[in-house]
Amino acid sequence: MSLVYLNGEFKPIEEASVNVLDRGFIFGDGIYEVIPVFNRKIFRFDEHMRRLETSLNKIYMKSPVSSKELFSIFEQLINSMEEYDQSIYLHITRGVSDRDHDISIANEPTVFAMSRPIRKNNLYLGVKAITHDDIRWQYCDIKATTLLSSVLLRHKAKEEGSREAILVRDGFVTEGAASNIFIHLDDKIYTPPKTNHVLPGITRDLLIEILLDYKIPLKEEAISVDMLSSASEIWLTSSTWEIVPVVELNGNLVGEGNPGPLWKEVNILYQEFKRNYCN
Ligand SMILES: Cc1ncc(COP(=O)(O)O)c(C=O)c1O
């Protein structure tokens, strides 16, 4: 039977519940991680743990569980499921307190984790995207549970028959509502540099490592809206999506309107890396 973890206990999801005064529920006062599992092996665990630590520090929290404990919790969740490819969701809030913004009154964080199967849904065939103003806050480098703006952005994309909203701040692309972005333009790959307007994606970093290893020209440089609309390929990255080509942007074809040749090449390299890592 598949189990979830909540504050020290493993149980069926129907039996897991939190106090309504949990600050995660009241304020969205918490952070999270999504960690992929391929062939039942946790992918890039250390990198996810480093980002978790950074997110916690940035919201003035210390990790209530060590990485070693988390690894063991994740292993138990994975083992309670049949699927080979899963995605672990870890959610840490500041815990229960009186409804008061003051963070010093909360001292017992809530830790919740579950694992779910990864379903690919033909994403490798390419997706449609729209551009939209980046309506989010200034701390997008924190993987915060406060995701209302991203939920609305994904809804706006869906209303236009698209899967993702590519976000634009002051004329420059930041990232997708739940993904990082790469474009191919004039024989180079571009991705926006890490700033407070971009989540430091684990998949983004791995793709950069792969591009550099294979000497594929890469620039971590701001991408203007003009560059985006002239790109011959656009890719979105995330732990569960991996590398997904965008084939249509705001109703216009990207390149030939199919996954591009460079995406095919790079995706093979990425899949190879994954296979070796998760063997
Ligand atoms: C806003 C945002 N950017 C980027 C990403 C990709 O990050 P990762 O590759 O670590 O999954 C995500 C993932 O959910 C995200 O929500």
Side-chain angles (χ1 to χ4, degrees), residues 72-153:
S72 149
I73 292 167
F74 295 166
E75 290 271 284
Q76 291 181 67
L77 295 177
I78 295 164
N79 289 337
S80 76
M81 311 247 308
E82 283 173 6
E83 287 82 1
Y84 276 65
D85 293 349
Q86 304 176 19
S87 115
I88 293 166
Y89 177 79
L90 170 69
H91 181 115
I92 301 179
T93 77
R94 211 180 300 277
V96 178
S97 75
D98 192 13
R99 193 199 170 280
D100 186 317
H101 291 62
D102 182 1
I103 61 174
S104 71
I105 59 172
N107 42 30
E108 186 132 11
T110 299
V111 181
F112 170 67
M114 64 179 172
S115 189
R116 291 171 301 165
I118 292 183
R119 298 219 164 80
K120 275 286 179 273
N121 299 330
N122 294 339
L123 287 167
Y124 58 89
L125 296 176
V127 296
K128 296 179 185 178
I130 58 164
T131 51
H132 196 286
D133 266 353
D134 193 342
I135 55 170
R136 304 171 305 163
W137 65 340
Q138 300 289 339
Y139 292 156
C140 300
D141 51 336
I142 303 174
K143 203 158 168 65
T145 56
T146 333
L147 286 174
L148 182 57
S149 44
S150 314
V151 166
L152 296 180
L153 286 161

Coordinates of all heavy atoms in Angstrom, one line a residue, residues 72-153:
S72 N 16.3 8.3 4.0 CA 15.6 7.1 4.5 C 14.1 7.2 4.4 O 13.4 6.2 4.0 CB 16.1 6.8 5.9 OG 15.2 6.2 6.6
I73 N 13.5 8.4 4.7 CA 12.1 8.6 4.5 C 11.7 8.3 3.0 O 10.7 7.6 2.7 CB 11.7 10.0 5.0 CG1 11.8 10.1 6.5 CG2 10.2 10.3 4.5 CD1 11.8 11.5 7.0
F74 N 12.5 9.0 2.1 CA 12.2 8.9 0.7 C 12.2 7.4 0.2 O 11.4 6.9 -0.5 CB 13.1 9.7 -0.1 CG 13.0 11.2 0.1 CD1 14.0 12.1 -0.3 CD2 11.9 11.7 0.8 CE1 13.9 13.4 -0.1 CE2 11.9 13.1 1.0 CZ 12.9 14.0 0.6
E75 N 13.3 6.7 0.7 CA 13.4 5.3 0.3 C 12.2 4.5 0.7 O 11.7 3.6 0.0 CB 14.6 4.7 1.0 CG 15.9 5.2 0.5 CD 16.4 4.4 -0.7 OE1 16.9 3.3 -0.5 OE2 16.3 4.9 -1.9
Q76 N 11.6 4.7 1.9 CA 10.5 4.0 2.4 C 9.2 4.4 1.5 O 8.4 3.5 1.2 CB 10.2 4.3 3.9 CG 11.3 3.7 4.7 CD 11.1 3.9 6.2 OE1 10.2 3.4 6.8 NE2 12.0 4.7 6.8
L77 N 9.1 5.7 1.2 CA 8.0 6.0 0.3 C 8.1 5.4 -1.1 O 7.1 4.8 -1.6 CB 8.0 7.6 0.1 CG 7.7 8.4 1.4 CD1 7.8 9.9 1.1 CD2 6.4 8.1 2.0
I78 N 9.3 5.4 -1.6 CA 9.5 4.8 -2.9 C 9.1 3.3 -2.9 O 8.5 2.7 -3.7 CB 11.0 4.9 -3.4 CG1 11.3 6.4 -3.6 CG2 11.2 4.1 -4.7 CD1 12.7 6.7 -3.7
N79 N 9.6 2.6 -1.8 CA 9.3 1.2 -1.7 C 7.9 0.8 -1.4 O 7.5 -0.3 -1.6 CB 10.2 0.6 -0.5 CG 11.7 0.6 -0.9 OD1 12.0 0.6 -2.1 ND2 12.6 0.6 0.0
S80 N 7.1 1.8 -1.0 CA 5.7 1.5 -0.8 C 4.9 1.7 -2.2 O 3.7 1.5 -2.2 CB 5.1 2.5 0.2 OG 4.8 3.8 -0.3
M81 N 5.6 2.0 -3.2 CA 4.9 2.1 -4.5 C 5.5 1.1 -5.6 O 6.6 0.7 -5.4 CB 5.2 3.5 -5.1 CG 5.0 4.7 -4.1 SD 3.6 5.7 -4.6 CE 4.0 6.1 -6.3
E82 N 4.7 0.8 -6.6 CA 5.1 -0.1 -7.6 C 5.9 0.5 -8.7 O 6.7 -0.1 -9.3 CB 3.9 -0.8 -8.2 CG 3.2 -1.8 -7.4 CD 1.9 -2.3 -8.0 OE1 1.6 -1.9 -9.1 OE2 1.2 -3.1 -7.3
E83 N 5.6 1.8 -9.0 CA 6.2 2.4 -10.2 C 7.7 2.6 -10.1 O 8.2 2.9 -9.1 CB 5.5 3.7 -10.4 CG 4.1 3.7 -10.9 CD 3.1 3.4 -9.8 OE1 3.5 3.4 -8.6 OE2 1.9 3.3 -10.1
Y84 N 8.3 2.5 -11.3 CA 9.8 2.7 -11.3 C 10.1 4.2 -11.3 O 11.2 4.6 -10.8 CB 10.4 2.0 -12.5 CG 10.6 0.5 -12.2 CD1 9.6 -0.3 -11.9 CD2 11.9 0.0 -12.2 CE1 9.8 -1.7 -11.6 CE2 12.2 -1.3 -11.8 CZ 11.1 -2.1 -11.5 OH 11.3 -3.4 -11.2
D85 N 9.3 5.0 -12.0 CA 9.6 6.4 -12.1 C 8.6 7.2 -11.2 O 7.3 7.0 -11.4 CB 9.5 6.9 -13.5 CG 10.6 6.3 -14.4 OD1 11.5 5.7 -13.9 OD2 10.5 6.5 -15.6
Q86 N 9.1 7.9 -10.2 CA 8.2 8.6 -9.3 C 8.7 10.0 -9.0 O 9.8 10.3 -9.4 CB 8.2 7.8 -7.9 CG 7.9 6.3 -8.0 CD 8.0 5.6 -6.7 OE1 8.0 6.3 -5.6 NE2 8.1 4.3 -6.7
S87 N 7.8 10.8 -8.4 CA 8.3 12.1 -8.0 C 7.9 12.3 -6.6 O 6.8 12.1 -6.1 CB 7.7 13.1 -9.0 OG 6.8 14.0 -8.4
I88 N 9.0 12.6 -5.8 CA 8.8 12.8 -4.3 C 8.5 14.3 -4.1 O 9.1 15.2 -4.7 CB 10.1 12.4 -3.6 CG1 10.4 10.9 -3.7 CG2 10.0 12.8 -2.1 CD1 11.7 10.6 -3.3
Y89 N 7.4 14.5 -3.3 CA 7.0 15.8 -3.0 C 7.3 16.0 -1.5 O 6.8 15.2 -0.6 CB 5.5 16.0 -3.2 CG 5.0 17.4 -2.8 CD1 5.3 18.5 -3.6 CD2 4.4 17.6 -1.6 CE1 4.9 19.8 -3.2 CE2 3.9 18.8 -1.2 CZ 4.2 19.9 -2.0 OH 3.8 21.2 -1.6
L90 N 8.2 17.0 -1.1 CA 8.5 17.3 0.3 C 8.0 18.7 0.6 O 8.3 19.6 -0.2 CB 10.0 17.2 0.5 CG 10.5 17.7 1.8 CD1 10.1 16.7 2.9 CD2 12.1 17.8 1.8
H91 N 7.3 18.8 1.7 CA 6.7 20.1 2.1 C 7.0 20.4 3.5 O 6.7 19.5 4.4 CB 5.2 19.8 1.8 CG 4.3 21.0 2.1 ND1 3.6 21.6 1.0 CD2 3.9 21.6 3.2 CE1 2.8 22.5 1.5 NE2 3.0 22.6 2.8
I92 N 7.7 21.5 3.8 CA 8.0 21.8 5.2 C 7.4 23.2 5.5 O 7.7 24.2 4.8 CB 9.5 21.9 5.4 CG1 10.1 20.5 5.1 CG2 9.8 22.3 6.8 CD1 11.6 20.4 5.2
T93 N 6.5 23.2 6.5 CA 6.0 24.5 6.9 C 6.5 24.9 8.3 O 7.1 24.1 9.0 CB 4.4 24.5 7.0 OG1 4.0 23.9 8.2 CG2 3.8 23.8 5.8
R94 N 6.2 26.2 8.6 CA 6.7 26.7 9.9 C 5.9 26.1 11.1 O 6.2 26.3 12.2 CB 6.6 28.2 10.0 CG 7.7 28.8 10.8 CD 7.6 30.4 10.8 NE 7.8 30.9 9.5 CZ 9.0 31.2 8.9 NH1 10.1 30.9 9.6 NH2 9.0 31.7 7.7
G95 N 4.8 25.3 10.7 CA 4.1 24.6 11.8 C 2.9 25.4 12.3 O 2.5 26.4 11.7
V96 N 2.4 24.9 13.4 CA 1.1 25.5 14.0 C 1.5 26.6 15.0 O 2.4 26.5 15.7 CB 0.4 24.3 14.8 CG1 -0.8 24.9 15.4 CG2 0.1 23.2 13.9
S97 N 0.7 27.7 14.8 CA 0.8 28.8 15.8 C -0.5 29.5 15.8 O -1.4 29.3 15.0 CB 2.0 29.7 15.4 OG 1.6 30.6 14.3
D98 N -0.6 30.5 16.7 CA -1.7 31.4 16.7 C -1.7 32.1 15.3 O -0.6 32.2 14.7 CB -1.6 32.4 17.8 CG -2.9 33.2 18.0 OD1 -3.9 32.8 17.4 OD2 -2.8 34.3 18.7
R99 N -2.9 32.6 14.8 CA -2.8 33.3 13.5 C -2.2 34.7 13.7 O -3.0 35.7 13.9 CB -4.2 33.4 12.8 CG -4.0 33.8 11.4 CD -5.3 34.3 10.7 NE -4.9 34.9 9.4 CZ -4.4 36.1 9.2 NH1 -4.2 36.9 10.3 NH2 -4.1 36.5 8.0
D100 N -0.9 34.7 13.5 CA -0.2 36.0 13.7 C 1.0 35.9 12.8 O 1.7 34.9 12.7 CB 0.3 36.1 15.2 CG 0.9 37.4 15.5 OD1 1.7 37.9 14.7 OD2 0.6 38.0 16.6
H101 N 1.3 37.0 12.1 CA 2.4 37.0 11.1 C 3.7 36.7 11.8 O 4.6 36.2 11.2 CB 2.5 38.3 10.4 CG 1.3 38.5 9.4 ND1 0.0 38.6 9.9 CD2 1.3 38.7 8.1 CE1 -0.8 38.8 8.8 NE2 0.0 38.9 7.7
D102 N 3.9 37.1 13.0 CA 5.2 36.9 13.8 C 5.7 35.5 13.7 O 5.0 34.5 14.1 CB 4.9 37.3 15.2 CG 6.2 37.2 16.1 OD1 7.2 36.9 15.5 OD2 6.1 37.5 17.3
I103 N 6.9 35.3 13.1 CA 7.4 33.9 12.9 C 8.0 33.3 14.2 O 8.1 32.1 14.3 CB 8.5 33.8 11.8 CG1 9.7 34.7 12.1 CG2 7.9 34.2 10.5 CD1 10.8 34.5 11.1
S104 N 8.3 34.2 15.2 CA 8.9 33.7 16.4 C 8.0 32.8 17.3 O 8.4 32.1 18.2 CB 9.5 34.8 17.2 OG 8.5 35.5 17.8
I105 N 6.7 32.9 17.0 CA 5.8 32.1 17.8 C 5.6 30.7 17.4 O 4.8 29.9 18.0 CB 4.4 32.8 18.0 CG1 3.7 33.0 16.6 CG2 4.5 34.2 18.6 CD1 2.3 33.5 16.6
A106 N 6.2 30.3 16.2 CA 6.0 29.0 15.7 C 7.3 28.2 16.0 O 8.4 28.7 15.6 CB 5.7 29.0 14.2
N107 N 7.3 27.1 16.6 CA 8.6 26.4 16.9 C 8.6 24.9 16.5 O 9.6 24.2 16.8 CB 9.1 26.6 18.3 CG 8.0 26.5 19.3 OD1 7.0 25.8 19.0 ND2 8.1 27.3 20.4
E108 N 7.5 24.4 16.0 CA 7.6 23.0 15.6 C 7.1 22.8 14.1 O 5.9 22.8 13.8 CB 6.6 22.2 16.5 CG 6.7 20.7 16.2 CD 6.9 19.9 17.5 OE1 6.7 20.5 18.6 OE2 7.2 18.7 17.4
P109 N 8.1 22.8 13.2 CA 7.8 22.7 11.8 C 6.9 21.4 11.4 O 7.1 20.4 12.1 CB 9.1 22.6 11.1 CG 10.1 23.2 12.0 CD 9.6 22.8 13.4
T110 N 6.1 21.5 10.4 CA 5.4 20.4 9.9 C 6.2 19.8 8.7 O 6.6 20.6 7.8 CB 4.0 20.8 9.4 OG1 3.3 21.4 10.5 CG2 3.2 19.7 8.8
V111 N 6.4 18.5 8.7 CA 7.1 17.9 7.6 C 6.2 16.8 7.0 O 5.8 15.9 7.6 CB 8.4 17.2 8.1 CG1 9.2 16.6 6.9 CG2 9.3 18.2 8.8
F112 N 6.0 17.0 5.7 CA 5.1 16.1 4.9 C 5.8 15.7 3.7 O 6.5 16.5 3.0 CB 3.8 16.8 4.6 CG 2.9 16.1 3.6 CD1 2.3 14.9 4.0 CD2 2.7 16.5 2.3 CE1 1.6 14.1 3.1 CE2 2.0 15.8 1.4 CZ 1.4 14.6 1.8
A113 N 5.7 14.4 3.4 CA 6.3 13.9 2.1 C 5.5 12.8 1.5 O 4.9 12.0 2.3 CB 7.7 13.4 2.3
M114 N 5.4 12.8 0.2 CA 4.7 11.7 -0.5 C 5.4 11.5 -1.8 O 6.2 12.3 -2.3 CB 3.2 12.1 -0.7 CG 3.0 13.2 -1.7 SD 1.3 13.6 -1.9 CE 1.4 15.1 -2.9
S115 N 5.1 10.3 -2.4 CA 5.7 10.0 -3.7 C 4.5 9.7 -4.7 O 3.6 9.0 -4.2 CB 6.7 8.9 -3.6 OG 7.4 8.8 -4.9
R116 N 4.6 10.1 -5.9 CA 3.6 9.8 -6.9 C 4.3 9.3 -8.2 O 5.4 9.7 -8.4 CB 2.7 11.0 -7.2 CG 1.9 11.4 -6.0 CD 1.2 12.8 -6.1 NE 2.2 13.8 -6.4 CZ 1.9 15.0 -6.8 NH1 0.7 15.3 -7.1 NH2 2.8 15.9 -7.0
P117 N 3.5 8.6 -9.0 CA 4.2 8.1 -10.3 C 4.4 9.3 -11.2 O 3.6 10.3 -11.1 CB 3.1 7.2 -10.9 CG 2.0 7.1 -9.9 CD 2.2 8.0 -8.8
I118 N 5.4 9.3 -12.0 CA 5.6 10.3 -13.0 C 4.9 9.9 -14.3 O 5.1 8.7 -14.7 CB 7.1 10.5 -13.3 CG1 7.9 11.1 -12.1 CG2 7.3 11.4 -14.6 CD1 9.3 11.4 -12.4
R119 N 4.0 10.7 -14.8 CA 3.4 10.4 -16.0 C 3.8 11.4 -17.1 O 3.7 12.6 -16.9 CB 1.8 10.4 -15.9 CG 1.4 9.4 -14.8 CD 0.0 8.8 -15.2 NE -0.2 7.6 -14.4 CZ -0.6 7.6 -13.1 NH1 -0.9 8.7 -12.6 NH2 -0.7 6.5 -12.4
K120 N 4.3 10.9 -18.2 CA 4.9 11.8 -19.2 C 4.0 12.4 -20.2 O 4.2 13.5 -20.7 CB 6.0 11.0 -20.0 CG 7.3 10.9 -19.2 CD 8.0 12.3 -19.4 CE 9.3 12.4 -18.7 NZ 9.2 12.7 -17.3
N121 N 2.8 11.8 -20.4 CA 1.8 12.5 -21.3 C 2.3 13.0 -22.6 O 1.9 14.1 -23.0 CB 1.1 13.6 -20.5 CG 0.4 13.0 -19.3 OD1 0.0 11.9 -19.3 ND2 0.3 13.9 -18.2
N122 N 3.2 12.3 -23.3 CA 3.6 12.7 -24.6 C 4.3 14.1 -24.6 O 4.2 14.8 -25.7 CB 2.5 12.7 -25.6 CG 2.0 11.3 -25.8 OD1 2.7 10.3 -25.6 ND2 0.8 11.1 -26.3
L123 N 4.8 14.6 -23.5 CA 5.4 15.9 -23.5 C 6.6 16.1 -24.5 O 6.8 17.1 -25.0 CB 6.0 16.2 -22.1 CG 4.9 16.5 -21.0 CD1 5.6 16.5 -19.7 CD2 4.2 17.8 -21.3
Y124 N 7.2 14.9 -24.8 CA 8.4 15.0 -25.7 C 7.9 15.3 -27.2 O 8.8 15.6 -28.0 CB 9.2 13.6 -25.7 CG 8.3 12.5 -26.1 CD1 8.1 12.1 -27.4 CD2 7.6 11.8 -25.1 CE1 7.3 11.0 -27.7 CE2 6.7 10.7 -25.4 CZ 6.6 10.3 -26.7 OH 5.7 9.3 -27.1
L125 N 6.6 15.3 -27.4 CA 6.1 15.7 -28.8 C 6.1 17.2 -28.9 O 5.9 17.7 -29.9 CB 4.7 15.1 -29.0 CG 4.6 13.6 -29.0 CD1 3.1 13.2 -29.2 CD2 5.4 13.0 -30.2
G126 N 6.3 17.9 -27.7 CA 6.3 19.3 -27.8 C 5.0 19.9 -27.1 O 4.0 19.2 -27.1
V127 N 5.1 21.1 -26.6 CA 3.9 21.7 -26.0 C 3.8 23.1 -26.6 O 4.7 23.7 -27.2 CB 4.1 21.9 -24.5 CG1 4.2 20.5 -23.8 CG2 5.3 22.7 -24.1
K128 N 2.6 23.7 -26.4 CA 2.3 25.1 -26.7 C 2.5 25.9 -25.5 O 2.2 25.5 -24.4 CB 0.8 25.2 -27.2 CG 0.5 24.4 -28.5 CD -0.9 24.6 -28.8 CE -1.3 23.8 -30.0 NZ -2.7 23.9 -30.4
A129 N 3.0 27.2 -25.7 CA 3.1 28.1 -24.6 C 2.7 29.5 -25.0 O 2.5 29.8 -26.2 CB 4.6 28.1 -24.2
I130 N 2.4 30.2 -23.9 CA 2.1 31.7 -24.2 C 3.1 32.5 -23.4 O 3.8 31.9 -22.5 CB 0.7 32.0 -23.7 CG1 0.5 31.7 -22.1 CG2 -0.4 31.4 -24.5 CD1 -0.7 32.4 -21.5
T131 N 3.2 33.7 -23.7 CA 4.0 34.6 -22.9 C 3.0 35.4 -22.0 O 1.9 35.6 -22.4 CB 4.9 35.6 -23.7 OG1 4.1 36.3 -24.6 CG2 6.0 34.9 -24.4
H132 N 3.5 35.8 -20.8 CA 2.7 36.5 -19.9 C 3.6 37.4 -19.0 O 4.7 37.0 -18.7 CB 1.8 35.5 -19.0 CG 0.7 36.2 -18.3 ND1 0.8 37.0 -17.2 CD2 -0.6 36.2 -18.6 CE1 -0.3 37.5 -16.9 NE2 -1.3 37.0 -17.7
D133 N 3.1 38.5 -18.5 CA 3.8 39.3 -17.5 C 4.1 38.4 -16.3 O 3.3 37.6 -15.9 CB 2.9 40.4 -17.0 CG 3.0 41.7 -17.7 OD1 3.9 41.8 -18.5 OD2 2.2 42.6 -17.4
D134 N 5.3 38.5 -15.8 CA 5.7 37.8 -14.6 C 5.1 38.5 -13.4 O 5.6 39.5 -12.9 CB 7.3 37.7 -14.5 CG 7.7 36.7 -13.4 OD1 6.8 36.3 -12.6 OD2 8.9 36.3 -13.4
I135 N 3.9 38.0 -13.0 CA 3.2 38.7 -12.0 C 3.6 38.2 -10.6 O 2.9 38.6 -9.6 CB 1.6 38.4 -12.1 CG1 1.4 36.9 -12.2 CG2 1.1 39.1 -13.4 CD1 -0.1 36.5 -12.1
R136 N 4.6 37.4 -10.5 CA 5.0 36.8 -9.2 C 5.8 37.9 -8.3 O 6.1 38.9 -8.8 CB 5.8 35.6 -9.4 CG 5.1 34.5 -10.2 CD 6.0 33.4 -10.6 NE 7.2 33.9 -11.3 CZ 8.3 33.2 -11.4 NH1 8.4 32.0 -11.0 NH2 9.4 33.7 -12.0
W137 N 6.2 37.4 -7.1 CA 6.9 38.3 -6.2 C 8.4 38.4 -6.5 O 8.8 38.0 -7.6 CB 6.6 37.9 -4.8 CG 7.2 36.6 -4.4 CD1 7.5 35.5 -5.2 CD2 7.4 36.1 -3.1 NE1 8.0 34.5 -4.5 CE2 8.0 34.8 -3.2 CE3 7.3 36.6 -1.8 CZ2 8.3 34.0 -2.1 CZ3 7.7 35.9 -0.7 CH2 8.2 34.6 -0.8
Q138 N 9.1 39.0 -5.6 CA 10.6 39.3 -5.9 C 11.5 38.1 -5.3 O 12.7 38.2 -5.5 CB 11.0 40.6 -5.2 CG 10.2 41.8 -5.6 CD 10.6 42.2 -7.0 OE1 11.7 41.9 -7.5 NE2 9.8 42.9 -7.7
Y139 N 10.9 37.1 -4.7 CA 11.7 36.0 -4.1 C 11.5 34.7 -4.9 O 11.3 33.7 -4.2 CB 11.4 35.9 -2.6 CG 11.8 37.0 -1.7 CD1 11.1 37.2 -0.5 CD2 12.8 37.8 -2.0 CE1 11.4 38.2 0.4 CE2 13.1 38.9 -1.2 CZ 12.5 39.0 0.0 OH 12.8 40.0 0.9
C140 N 11.6 34.8 -6.2 CA 11.3 33.5 -7.0 C 12.4 32.5 -6.8 O 12.2 31.4 -7.3 CB 11.1 33.9 -8.4 SG 9.7 35.0 -8.7
D141 N 13.5 32.9 -6.2 CA 14.6 31.9 -6.0 C 14.3 31.0 -4.8 O 15.0 30.0 -4.6 CB 15.9 32.6 -5.8 CG 15.9 33.7 -4.8 OD1 14.8 34.3 -4.5 OD2 16.9 34.0 -4.2
I142 N 13.3 31.3 -4.0 CA 12.9 30.5 -2.9 C 11.8 29.5 -3.4 O 10.8 30.0 -4.1 CB 12.3 31.3 -1.7 CG1 13.3 32.3 -1.3 CG2 11.8 30.4 -0.6 CD1 12.7 33.3 -0.2
K143 N 11.9 28.2 -3.2 CA 10.9 27.3 -3.6 C 9.8 27.3 -2.6 O 9.6 26.4 -1.8 CB 11.5 25.9 -3.8 CG 10.7 25.1 -4.8 CD 11.5 23.9 -5.4 CE 10.6 22.9 -6.2 NZ 9.9 23.4 -7.4
A144 N 9.0 28.4 -2.6 CA 8.0 28.6 -1.6 C 6.7 28.0 -2.0 O 6.3 27.9 -3.2 CB 7.8 30.1 -1.5
T145 N 5.9 27.5 -1.0 CA 4.6 26.9 -1.3 C 3.6 27.9 -1.7 O 2.5 27.5 -2.2 CB 4.1 26.1 0.0 OG1 4.0 27.1 1.1 CG2 5.0 25.0 0.4
T146 N 3.8 29.1 -1.5 CA 2.9 30.2 -1.8 C 2.8 30.3 -3.4 O 3.5 31.1 -3.9 CB 3.4 31.5 -1.2 OG1 4.2 31.2 -0.1 CG2 2.3 32.5 -0.9
L147 N 1.9 29.6 -4.0 CA 2.0 29.4 -5.5 C 0.8 30.0 -6.2 O 0.6 29.6 -7.4 CB 2.2 28.0 -5.8 CG 3.6 27.4 -5.6 CD1 3.7 25.9 -5.8 CD2 4.7 28.1 -6.4
L148 N 0.0 30.9 -5.6 CA -1.2 31.3 -6.2 C -0.9 31.9 -7.6 O -1.6 31.6 -8.6 CB -2.0 32.3 -5.3 CG -3.3 32.8 -5.9 CD1 -4.2 31.6 -6.2 CD2 -4.0 33.7 -4.9
S149 N 0.1 32.8 -7.7 CA 0.3 33.4 -9.0 C 0.7 32.4 -10.0 O 0.3 32.5 -11.2 CB 1.4 34.5 -8.9 OG 2.5 34.1 -8.1
S150 N 1.5 31.4 -9.7 CA 1.8 30.4 -10.7 C 0.6 29.5 -11.1 O 0.5 29.1 -12.2 CB 2.9 29.4 -10.1 OG 3.9 30.2 -9.5
V151 N -0.3 29.3 -10.1 CA -1.5 28.6 -10.4 C -2.3 29.4 -11.4 O -2.9 28.8 -12.4 CB -2.3 28.3 -9.1 CG1 -3.7 27.9 -9.4 CG2 -1.6 27.3 -8.2
L152 N -2.5 30.7 -11.2 CA -3.2 31.5 -12.1 C -2.6 31.6 -13.5 O -3.3 31.6 -14.5 CB -3.4 32.9 -11.5 CG -4.2 33.0 -10.2 CD1 -4.3 34.5 -9.7 CD2 -5.6 32.5 -10.4
L153 N -1.2 31.6 -13.5 CA -0.5 31.7 -14.8 C -0.7 30.4 -15.6 O -1.0 30.5 -16.8 CB 1.0 32.0 -14.5 CG 1.3 33.4 -14.1 CD1 2.7 33.5 -13.4 CD2 1.2 34.4 -15.3

